[in-house]
Amino acid sequence: MRKVLQVGHEHLTRVVPELEDLTNLKVYRNHICELIEVCEEMNGMACASNQIGESVRMFVMKNLITGEYKAYFNPWIIEGNGRNRGLEGCLSFREPEVQYYVRRKQNIKLKYADINGDEQIEVFVDLEARCIQHECDHLNGITFDKIGKLK
Protein backbone atom coordinates (compact mmCIF):
# COMPACT_ATOMS: atom_id res chain seq x y z
CA MET A 1 0.00 0.00 0.00
CA ARG A 2 1.19 3.51 -0.80
CA LYS A 3 2.04 5.64 2.20
CA VAL A 4 -0.32 8.53 2.88
CA LEU A 5 1.50 11.83 3.32
CA GLN A 6 0.92 13.34 6.74
CA VAL A 7 0.17 16.94 7.68
CA GLY A 8 3.22 19.15 7.32
CA HIS A 9 4.39 17.54 4.09
CA GLU A 10 4.89 20.29 1.50
CA HIS A 11 3.11 18.30 -1.23
CA LEU A 12 -0.17 18.71 0.68
CA THR A 13 0.08 22.51 0.42
CA ARG A 14 0.41 22.65 -3.37
CA VAL A 15 -2.45 23.24 -5.80
CA VAL A 16 -2.70 20.26 -8.14
CA PRO A 17 -3.04 21.48 -11.76
CA GLU A 18 -5.84 20.30 -14.00
CA LEU A 19 -5.19 17.49 -16.42
CA GLU A 20 -5.09 18.97 -19.90
CA ASP A 21 -5.53 15.75 -21.87
CA LEU A 22 -8.68 13.88 -20.88
CA THR A 23 -8.67 11.51 -23.88
CA ASN A 24 -7.00 8.55 -22.16
CA LEU A 25 -7.74 8.63 -18.44
CA LYS A 26 -7.66 4.84 -18.33
CA VAL A 27 -3.86 5.15 -18.01
CA TYR A 28 -4.63 6.10 -14.39
CA ARG A 29 -6.30 2.75 -13.54
CA ASN A 30 -3.36 1.62 -11.38
CA HIS A 31 -3.38 4.96 -9.62
CA ILE A 32 -7.11 4.62 -8.95
CA CYS A 33 -6.52 1.13 -7.55
CA GLU A 34 -3.81 2.49 -5.24
CA LEU A 35 -6.17 5.17 -3.91
CA ILE A 36 -8.92 2.60 -3.33
CA GLU A 37 -6.46 0.33 -1.53
CA VAL A 38 -5.49 3.23 0.74
CA CYS A 39 -9.16 3.90 1.53
CA GLU A 40 -9.84 0.24 2.25
CA GLU A 41 -6.75 -0.27 4.43
CA MET A 42 -7.22 2.96 6.38
CA ASN A 43 -11.02 2.80 6.58
CA GLY A 44 -11.44 6.04 4.66
CA MET A 45 -14.30 7.16 2.45
CA ALA A 46 -12.13 9.02 -0.08
CA CYS A 47 -8.58 9.94 -0.96
CA ALA A 48 -7.08 12.64 -3.19
CA SER A 49 -4.09 11.82 -5.37
CA ASN A 50 -1.80 14.36 -3.72
CA GLN A 51 -2.27 12.57 -0.39
CA ILE A 52 -0.11 9.77 -1.80
CA GLY A 53 2.36 12.16 -3.43
CA GLU A 54 0.92 12.30 -6.96
CA SER A 55 0.14 15.46 -8.92
CA VAL A 56 -2.98 14.25 -10.70
CA ARG A 57 -6.10 16.37 -10.16
CA MET A 58 -8.40 13.56 -9.09
CA PHE A 59 -9.78 11.70 -6.12
CA VAL A 60 -11.71 8.52 -5.45
CA MET A 61 -14.78 8.29 -3.24
CA LYS A 62 -16.86 5.39 -2.02
CA ASN A 63 -20.57 5.49 -2.83
CA LEU A 64 -22.46 5.16 0.46
CA ILE A 65 -25.26 3.10 -1.09
CA THR A 66 -23.44 0.73 -3.45
CA GLY A 67 -20.08 0.57 -1.68
CA GLU A 68 -18.36 1.04 -5.06
CA TYR A 69 -15.55 3.51 -5.56
CA LYS A 70 -15.55 6.07 -8.35
CA ALA A 71 -12.81 8.34 -9.71
CA TYR A 72 -13.40 12.06 -10.23
CA PHE A 73 -10.93 13.82 -12.57
CA ASN A 74 -10.54 17.63 -12.68
CA PRO A 75 -13.31 18.11 -10.10
CA TRP A 76 -14.71 21.60 -9.56
CA ILE A 77 -17.56 22.57 -7.27
CA ILE A 78 -19.68 24.86 -9.43
CA GLU A 79 -22.54 25.48 -7.02
CA GLY A 80 -23.36 24.95 -3.38
CA ASN A 81 -25.96 25.93 -0.83
CA GLY A 82 -26.98 25.36 2.75
CA ARG A 83 -24.45 25.32 5.56
CA ASN A 84 -23.67 22.83 8.25
CA ARG A 85 -20.90 22.23 10.73
CA GLY A 86 -19.67 18.70 11.08
CA LEU A 87 -16.83 16.63 12.43
CA GLU A 88 -14.27 15.40 9.90
CA GLY A 89 -11.33 13.05 9.97
CA CYS A 90 -8.54 12.83 7.41
CA LEU A 91 -6.14 10.14 6.23
CA SER A 92 -3.35 12.75 6.35
CA PHE A 93 -3.99 13.42 10.05
CA ARG A 94 -3.44 9.94 11.44
CA GLU A 95 -0.11 10.42 13.23
CA PRO A 96 -1.63 11.33 15.66
CA GLU A 97 -5.26 11.01 14.58
CA VAL A 98 -7.23 14.21 15.07
CA GLN A 99 -10.63 15.50 14.02
CA TYR A 100 -11.84 18.99 13.19
CA TYR A 101 -15.22 20.68 13.09
CA VAL A 102 -15.59 22.23 9.64
CA ARG A 103 -18.37 24.35 8.12
CA ARG A 104 -19.34 23.10 4.66
CA LYS A 105 -22.07 23.50 2.09
CA GLN A 106 -24.93 21.04 2.63
CA ASN A 107 -25.50 20.49 -1.11
CA ILE A 108 -23.09 20.88 -3.99
CA LYS A 109 -23.05 20.57 -7.75
CA LEU A 110 -19.81 19.02 -9.01
CA LYS A 111 -18.37 19.19 -12.50
CA TYR A 112 -15.80 16.51 -13.27
CA ALA A 113 -14.55 14.11 -15.93
CA ASP A 114 -15.27 10.41 -15.54
CA ILE A 115 -12.82 7.61 -16.39
CA ASN A 116 -13.86 7.89 -20.06
CA GLY A 117 -12.98 11.60 -20.13
CA ASP A 118 -16.64 12.60 -20.43
CA GLU A 119 -17.73 15.72 -18.57
CA GLN A 120 -20.30 15.05 -15.87
CA ILE A 121 -22.31 17.32 -13.61
CA GLU A 122 -23.75 15.72 -10.51
CA VAL A 123 -25.46 16.90 -7.32
CA PHE A 124 -24.32 15.60 -3.94
CA VAL A 125 -25.81 16.12 -0.48
CA ASP A 126 -24.90 15.66 3.16
CA LEU A 127 -21.92 13.37 3.86
CA GLU A 128 -20.98 12.87 0.20
CA ALA A 129 -21.07 16.65 -0.36
CA ARG A 130 -18.89 17.16 2.72
CA CYS A 131 -16.43 14.50 1.58
CA ILE A 132 -16.12 15.98 -1.92
CA GLN A 133 -15.48 19.46 -0.51
CA HIS A 134 -12.78 17.97 1.73
CA GLU A 135 -11.08 16.21 -1.22
CA CYS A 136 -11.32 19.29 -3.46
CA ASP A 137 -9.68 21.27 -0.66
CA HIS A 138 -6.81 18.76 -0.73
CA LEU A 139 -6.42 19.26 -4.48
CA ASN A 140 -6.30 23.01 -3.84
CA GLY A 141 -3.57 22.63 -1.22
CA ILE A 142 -5.87 23.22 1.76
CA THR A 143 -5.98 20.93 4.78
CA PHE A 144 -8.86 21.07 7.25
CA ASP A 145 -6.70 22.36 10.09
CA LYS A 146 -6.60 25.66 8.17
CA ILE A 147 -10.39 26.03 7.96
CA GLY A 148 -11.78 24.11 10.93
CA LYS A 149 -11.72 23.99 14.70
CA LEU A 150 -9.95 21.17 16.54
CA LYS A 151 -12.29 18.79 18.38
Side-chain angles (χ1 to χ4, degrees):
M1 178 182 88
R2 293 279 296 265
K3 183 168 172 45
V4 175
L5 303 179
Q6 294 300 299
V7 64
H9 194 285
E10 68 177 274
H11 199 70
L12 295 174
T13 64
R14 296 183 189 144
V15 176
V16 179
E18 279 194 6
L19 293 166
E20 293 181 23
D21 182 8
L22 299 176
T23 58
N24 191 18
L25 294 177
K26 292 180 180 168
V27 300
Y28 295 105
R29 283 192 191 276
N30 286 341
H31 184 59
I32 292 167
C33 290
E34 289 176 324
L35 289 169
I36 292 170
E37 181 183 15
V38 164
C39 289
E40 292 288 319
E41 290 291 321
M42 296 184 74
N43 197 28
M45 184 174 166
C47 189
S49 70
N50 59 333
Q51 288 182 272
I52 61 169
E54 299 292 333
S55 292
V56 180
R57 191 168 186 90
M58 61 88 63
F59 67 88
V60 298
M61 184 177 75
K62 187 176 189 176
N63 181 295
L64 293 174
I65 296 169
T66 66
E68 298 288 319
Y69 285 90
K70 182 175 176 179
Y72 300 82
F73 291 89
N74 287 352
W76 289 103
I77 297 167
I78 57 175
E79 191 176 306
N81 58 59
R83 298 282 287 173
N84 71 7
R85 181 176 178 254
L87 196 58
E88 297 182 14
C90 180
L91 300 178
S92 291
F93 283 75
R94 293 285 176 98
E95 299 168 10
E97 185 170 353
V98 295
Q99 295 178 316
Y100 280 79
Y101 289 101
V102 182
R103 290 197 187 281
R104 302 272 189 200
K105 298 287 186 186
Q106 184 80 30
N107 311 296
I108 61 164
K109 189 180 285 187
L110 184 74
K111 181 173 100 170
Y112 65 95
D114 63 19
I115 189 69
N116 298 313
D118 297 325
E119 184 179 292
Q120 305 291 328
I121 295 178
E122 196 171 342
V123 173
F124 295 90
V125 299
D126 300 324
L127 183 56
E128 287 181 329
R130 173 173 292 282
C131 185
I132 289 168
Q133 290 168 85
H134 180 106
E135 299 310 320
C136 286
D137 279 350
H138 272 300
L139 296 173
N140 290 323
I142 301 166
T143 50
F144 70 172
D145 60 320
K146 305 295 186 230
I147 59 172
K149 183 177 180 182
L150 185 62
K151 176 181 174 185

